[in-house]
């Protein structure tokens, strides 16, 4: 076996249409390229043989109407690195179809439902308040480290049962591990970093599961151990993979939501002032943050039977990339889509995906962002905020590594 998986073959006639998601400069500002893609070839066959769906209505139609799978008809995952075995997402609920997906999701939702959100809300409020106390005293903050990362990482670790002193271990692991979802298309050094992160996380959670089996607690790992669905328990390997996947989702996507959302407000001070003057806009503001700069620009599905979309018939086993970031800025769906407007009347975005794999932790993410951004707006009233240098993380998702700000 070769040291690295074989690259995906180039497809004759396939074209990135000036919107190559793997290009180094794509994440800096992907939206002009996504606009060109949507206008030139909205159902686009790429040079690596995948299909990109970029119009809002087409993305929604596939989520609602197409018969899709997460894997090819032979059971293989189209985007994954076949050498990435430890902590592999092949067994994660996101990569499963019903009924197996439903079984795993039911077990996990017990620890991520509305009651958990309500229980965690007080801790979120307290964490955000402490962060802002320190920031106002210092005259600035590092938005990602001090807020966008701190809040969701602390909450998801509490939910999972990861001790507070271990929380920082996950900083690099989770960012690197997101690349597993599309690792087949990434450079060898990124693939290796992704595998290493998977092995490290598998080691950690295998040890944690062994400990919890001896001393059950009130955390999610303990709940998964206890849980039975029609007499079926998770075995240790399956449990470890679910834990890895859930903690990555709980970390990275919410870092992106809070970080990208706060950046949008900093780039649009008129909207920050609007929120200060009308705090009741916060719920709509969070939805606009998700629409305007979603943490996940695209996800994938596999067509299980031929499906016509945008005037083209996608064949069985076609691998499609649902371009959520493009759909959320489709002018056919949203007037002036490139304008950040927290009072926008209709913000029915695609940021959480759709169908049976609709984001499991969406309520928790929204609650965390609501308090982080809402408190920030109110407590920085009257201050001029200056942005420092932005850096992107190693995450495959649209997540920043650093964005310092100072208050004047």
């Amino acid at each position: 076996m070769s040291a690295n998986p074989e690259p995906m073959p180039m497809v004759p006639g396939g074209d990135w249409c000036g919107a190559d998601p793997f290009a180094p400069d794509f994440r800096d500002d992907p939206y002009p390229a996504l606009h060109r893609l949507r206008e030139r070839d909205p159902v686009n066959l790429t040079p690596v043989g995948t299909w990109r769906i970029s119009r809002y209505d087409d993305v929604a139609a596939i989520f609602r109407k197409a018969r899709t799978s997460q894997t090819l008809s032979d059971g293989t995952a189209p985007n994954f690195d076949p050498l990435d075995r430890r902590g592999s997402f092949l067994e994660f609920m996101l990569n499963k179809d019903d009924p197996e997906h439903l079984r795993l999701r039911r077990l996990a939702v017990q620890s991520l439902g509305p009651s958990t959100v309500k229980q965690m809300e007080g801790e979120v409020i307290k964490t955000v308040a402490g962060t802002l106390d320190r920031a106002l005293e210092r005259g600035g903050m590092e938005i990602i480290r001090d807020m966008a990362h701190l809040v969701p990482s602390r909450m998801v670790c509490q939910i999972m049962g990861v001790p507070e002193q271990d929380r920082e271990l996950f900083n690099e692991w989770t960012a690197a591990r997101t690349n597993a979802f599309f690792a087949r298309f990434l450079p060898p050094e990124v693939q290796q970093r992704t595998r290493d992160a998977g092995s490290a996380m598998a080691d950690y959670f295998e040890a944690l599961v062994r400990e919890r089996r001896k001393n059950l607690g009130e955390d999610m790992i303990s709940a998964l151990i206890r849980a039975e669905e029609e007499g079926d328990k998770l075995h240790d390997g399956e449990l470890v993979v679910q834990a890895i996947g859930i903690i990555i989702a709980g970390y990275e996507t919410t870092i992106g939501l809070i970080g990208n959302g706060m950046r949008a407000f900093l780039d649009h001070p008129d909207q920050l002032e609007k929120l200060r003057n009308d705090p009741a806009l916060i719920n709509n503001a969070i939805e606009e943050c998700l629409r305007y700069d979603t943490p996940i620009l695209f996800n994938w599905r596999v067509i299980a039977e031929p499906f016509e979309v945008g005037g083209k018939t996608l064949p069985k086993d076609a691998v499609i990339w649902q371009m959520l970031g493009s759909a959320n800025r489709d002018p056919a769906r949203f007037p002036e889509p490139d304008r950040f407007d927290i009072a926008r009347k209709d913000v029915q975005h695609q940021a959480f995906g759709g169908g049976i794999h609709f984001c499991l932790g969406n309520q928790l993410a929204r609650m965390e962002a609501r308090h982080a951004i809402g408190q920030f707006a109110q407590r920085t009233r009257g201050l001029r905020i200056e942005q420092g240098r932005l850096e992107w993380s190693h995450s495959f998702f649209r997540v920043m590594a650093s964005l310092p700000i100072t208050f004047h």
Side-chain angles (χ1 to χ4, degrees):
M1 185 178 287
S2 61
N4 292 294
E6 292 296 319
M8 290 291 288
M10 299 297 280
V11 176
D15 186 1
W16 287 118
C17 293
D20 180 352
F22 305 106
D25 60 349
F26 181 77
R27 77 164 61 200
D28 290 337
D29 184 9
Y31 296 106
L34 291 175
H35 281 314
R36 290 192 295 272
L37 171 66
R38 191 176 53 246
E39 291 168 2
R40 285 178 51 186
D41 194 5
V43 181
N44 165 241
L45 178 61
T46 75
V48 295
T50 61
W51 292 84
R52 291 186 293 181
I53 314 300
S54 56
R55 292 187 298 208
Y56 183 99
D57 286 347
D58 293 342
V59 167
I62 287 175
F63 281 142
R64 289 198 313 264
K65 300 176 183 177
R67 183 168 168 258
T68 62
S69 174
Q70 296 301 102
T71 57
L72 300 168
S73 55
D74 64 3
T76 60
N79 302 325
F80 292 3
D81 168 6
L83 300 184
D84 183 12
R85 299 186 180 96
R86 291 214 64 216
S88 171
F89 283 141
L90 283 170
E91 297 302 317
F92 183 42
M93 69 181 75
L94 184 64
N95 206 49
K96 296 291 186 180
D97 300 325
D98 284 346
E100 189 69 1
H101 160 265
L102 183 59
R103 178 182 73 91
L104 294 169
R105 187 178 176 105
R106 280 176 176 168
L107 293 175
V109 78
Q110 298 173 36
S111 298
L112 288 172
S115 62
T116 299
V117 174
K118 187 174 181 179
Q119 290 170 15
M120 300 302 295
E121 191 161 18
E123 188 66 25
V124 170
I125 293 169
K126 180 181 175 181
T127 299
V128 171
T131 286
L132 289 172
D133 287 344
R134 293 186 292 273
L136 292 168
E137 183 178 345
R138 289 195 304 258
M141 68 187 296
E142 164 50 65
I143 279 180
I144 307 306
R145 181 194 65 212
D146 299 339
M147 183 74 84
H149 184 277
L150 174 67
V151 174
S153 68
R154 179 169 286 176
M155 297 313 115
V156 78
C157 283
Q158 286 189 24
I159 290 169
M160 297 296 293
V162 172
E164 174 67 20
Q165 63 266 25
D166 291 350
R167 184 170 55 84
E168 295 297 325
L169 292 173
F170 291 90
N171 289 1
E172 285 297 318
W173 291 347
T174 57
R177 199 64 192 145
T178 60
N179 291 285
F181 290 116
F182 292 90
R184 186 167 184 150
F185 307 96
L186 301 177
E189 64 274 14
V190 178
Q191 291 176 338
Q192 188 59 56
R193 186 168 65 226
T194 303
R195 293 181 206 131
D196 292 344
S199 292
M201 294 182 80
D203 286 343
Y204 183 91
F205 279 109
E206 284 168 4
L208 186 60
V209 168
R210 286 194 298 270
E211 179 184 324
R212 285 294 183 274
R213 285 202 181 277
K214 297 174 186 174
N215 299 288
L216 291 174
E218 298 303 319
D219 52 79
M220 187 175 190
I221 297 293
S222 299
L224 289 174
I225 291 170
R226 290 191 188 96
E228 293 189 22
E229 183 68 18
E230 297 180 357
D232 183 19
K233 289 185 178 180
L234 290 164
H235 58 72
D236 283 359
E238 196 175 45
L239 196 159
V240 165
V241 171
Q242 306 317 309
I244 292 172
I246 290 166
I247 205 164
I248 287 170
Y251 259 71
E252 293 296 312
T253 55
T254 313
I255 295 171
L257 167 55
I258 295 174
N260 297 353
M262 291 181 72
R263 181 187 176 206
F265 275 104
L266 296 174
D267 288 343
H268 300 86
D270 62 313
Q271 297 301 300
L272 185 58
E273 194 62 26
K274 183 180 289 188
L275 181 59
R276 287 171 177 149
N277 293 332
D278 188 359
L281 283 172
I282 187 60
N283 288 334
N284 204 70
I286 298 306
E287 302 309 308
E288 177 68 348
C289 289
L290 286 159
R291 184 203 68 83
Y292 182 77
D293 200 2
T294 179
I296 301 180
L297 287 176
F298 62 102
N299 62 16
W300 84 96
R301 296 289 188 273
V302 177
I303 296 295
E305 60 185 25
F307 185 77
E308 184 175 340
V309 62
K312 297 180 182 179
T313 299
L314 304 180
K316 179 181 178 179
D317 271 354
V319 179
I320 58 171
W321 292 349
Q322 294 274 70
M323 306 304 292
L324 309 179
S326 174
N328 288 344
R329 298 254 192 137
D330 186 345
R333 180 62 179 79
F334 300 104
E336 298 182 81
D338 293 324
R339 182 166 61 90
F340 181 60
D341 177 10
I342 66 170
R344 188 179 291 274
K345 297 298 184 185
D346 181 2
V347 201
Q348 193 68 33
H349 56 76
Q350 301 278 5
F352 288 123
I356 65 171
H357 292 283
F358 187 79
C359 176
L360 182 63
N362 72 88
Q363 295 179 70
L364 181 63
R366 283 170 159 135
M367 182 270 285
E368 292 171 347
R370 187 167 66 244
H371 290 295
I373 293 174
Q375 281 199 49
F376 178 84
Q378 297 308 314
R379 296 194 61 186
T380 58
R381 185 185 295 272
L383 298 175
R384 181 171 64 85
I385 304 171
E386 181 179 330
Q387 295 185 60
R389 181 172 176 267
L390 180 156
E391 295 180 5
W392 293 102
S393 83
H394 292 307
S395 177
F396 189 81
F397 300 154
R398 189 163 169 75
V399 173
M400 293 180 285
S402 175
L403 182 61
I405 59 173
T406 52
F407 302 140
H408 301 279

